[in-house]
């Protein structure tokens, strides 16, 4: 997919699967990509990003930076911690691949303006996330 760049520390991550997922999501959610980077990184790297840019001293599974001023024209970066995804998959008893798909979807929803700060917004975002996850069964590992 044009203007989509996928970087990963994991050699087993199927980048074509990410491209297929983003294409499916763009058709479903009606967005186009101006520039999008999806980075699969370590917990240490995401901790460094969290400290440097968000002043948070903890690891997290995903950080999204949105540079677009137009909702359906994506220009941003998504950072996903593979280590946290592995932890989440064990905690929620799902495959690592499904957890990575969920995180990619979560990042795209953030870029489209969805928020998960307020409880009511979090419920809306989670419902959409679950709908998309069940619709797009793509294997990433």
């Amino acid at each position: 997919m044009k203007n989509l760049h996928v970087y990963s520390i994991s050699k087993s991550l199927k980048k074509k699967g990410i491209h297929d997922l983003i294409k499916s999501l763009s058709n479903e959610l009606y967005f186009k990509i101006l520039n999008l980077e999806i980075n699969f990184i370590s917990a240490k790297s995401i901790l460094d990003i969290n400290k440097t840019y968000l002043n948070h001293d903890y690891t997290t599974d995903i950080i999204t930076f949105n540079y677009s001023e137009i909702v359906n024209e994506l220009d941003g970066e998504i950072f996903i911690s593979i280590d946290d995804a592995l932890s989440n998959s064990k905690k929620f008893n799902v495959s690592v691949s499904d957890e990575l798909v969920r995180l990619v979807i979560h990042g795209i929803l953030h870029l489209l303006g969805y928020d998960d700060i307020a409880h009511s917004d979090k419920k809306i975002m989670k419902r959409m996330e679950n709908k998309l996850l069940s619709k797009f069964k793509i294997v990433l590992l």
Side-chain angles (χ1 to χ4, degrees):
M1 176 165 250
K2 189 177 174 187
N3 301 326
L4 170 63
H5 310 280
V6 179
Y7 305 99
S8 178
I9 60 169
S10 170
K11 301 276 189 242
S12 59
L13 182 79
K14 295 178 182 173
K15 291 183 181 182
K16 183 180 181 325
I18 300 293
H19 282 261
D20 292 345
L21 174 59
I22 297 300
K23 183 173 180 152
S24 296
L25 290 171
S26 71
N27 291 334
E28 180 78 12
L29 300 172
Y30 308 107
F31 64 81
K32 70 179 186 178
I33 296 173
L34 300 179
N35 187 48
L36 179 60
E37 284 189 16
I38 302 177
N39 304 279
F40 294 87
I41 60 178
S42 68
K44 184 196 178 314
S45 294
I46 211 159
L47 174 62
D48 291 343
I49 292 167
N50 219 4
K51 283 179 179 178
T52 302
Y53 297 100
L54 302 174
N55 295 317
H56 298 154
D57 192 11
Y58 52 84
T59 187
T60 185
D61 52 6
I62 185 168
I63 295 174
T64 306
F65 294 104
N66 190 354
Y67 308 125
S68 180
E69 295 181 12
I70 302 170
V71 173
N72 285 29
E73 292 184 3
L74 302 189
D75 180 7
E77 295 176 282
I78 298 172
F79 295 89
I80 295 173
S81 166
I82 292 178
D83 300 318
D84 288 281
L86 180 58
S87 253
N88 288 350
S89 73
K90 290 175 184 172
K91 179 178 176 182
F92 299 115
N93 197 29
V94 297
S95 73
V96 177
S97 183
D98 280 353
E99 182 61 13
L100 290 171
V101 170
R102 184 189 70 78
L103 289 169
V104 170
I105 291 169
H106 187 88
I108 294 297
L109 290 175
H110 272 306
L111 292 175
L112 290 171
Y114 285 80
D115 200 358
D116 56 1
I117 303 294
H119 180 69
S120 57
D121 292 338
K122 189 174 189 171
K123 282 175 64 174
I124 292 167
M125 188 172 185
K126 191 65 168 174
R127 198 173 310 126
M128 179 62 98
E129 204 174 282
N130 289 338
K131 174 186 164 194
L132 294 168
L133 182 59
S134 67
K135 187 168 187 168
F136 302 116
K137 290 293 182 185
I138 293 176
V139 178
L140 299 181
L141 294 175

